[in-house]
Amino acid sequence: SLRRVLEFQLQEAGFEIVSVENGAQALELFSAADFDCVVTDWRMPQMSGLEFIQRAVAIRSETPIIVITAFGDVETAVAAMRSGAFDFITKPFDRQAILLTVERAL
């Protein structure tokens, strides 16, 4: 449900959104098309956020990747940033935080 809410908020702000249900689908889509920015969860089905970041950066390192997570400890944030994430946002986050982060990434 958070994915749907995030989709709605970003679309309402004027962004074109493509959404998938898991990391494997995301990586497949990311490999096949150009995206201006990626917002991913840290924990998701079929592939961790860390694995997604590492594989996505290997494909197209210039695309900013924003990680969102409910498990916002320092170690997780450091791992995400070292792997190539643009930024790291902890849940729950407010609408302005995600919009500002996406705008900065773009």
Side-chain angles (χ1 to χ4, degrees):
S1 64
L2 178 61
R3 180 171 44 96
R4 297 281 186 225
V5 169
L6 187 57
E7 282 178 52
F8 176 77
Q9 290 175 341
L10 291 170
Q11 285 174 334
E12 189 175 62
F15 296 104
E16 185 178 330
I17 305 302
V18 176
S19 178
V20 295
E21 294 181 9
N22 61 60
Q25 289 176 343
L27 190 62
E28 183 179 326
L29 192 57
F30 185 80
S31 298
D34 246 355
F35 291 92
D36 296 326
C37 182
V38 173
V39 178
T40 187
D41 206 328
W42 189 250
R43 290 195 180 171
M44 56 188 162
Q46 297 187 9
M47 181 181 300
S48 72
L50 179 61
E51 183 181 354
F52 173 81
I53 294 166
Q54 292 169 337
R55 293 177 68 181
V57 166
I59 295 166
R60 199 171 301 110
S61 64
E62 69 277 3
T63 304
I65 300 171
I66 300 166
V67 178
I68 56 173
T69 185
F71 307 96
D73 60 30
V74 173
E75 287 180 27
T76 304
V78 168
M81 301 303 278
R82 283 190 176 158
S83 295
F86 173 81
D87 207 344
F88 185 87
I89 299 174
T90 57
K91 298 175 193 173
F93 52 84
D94 65 31
R95 181 177 189 269
Q96 275 309 110
I98 192 68
L99 293 178
L100 289 172
T101 303
V102 169
E103 288 173 11
R104 276 188 316 122
L106 295 172

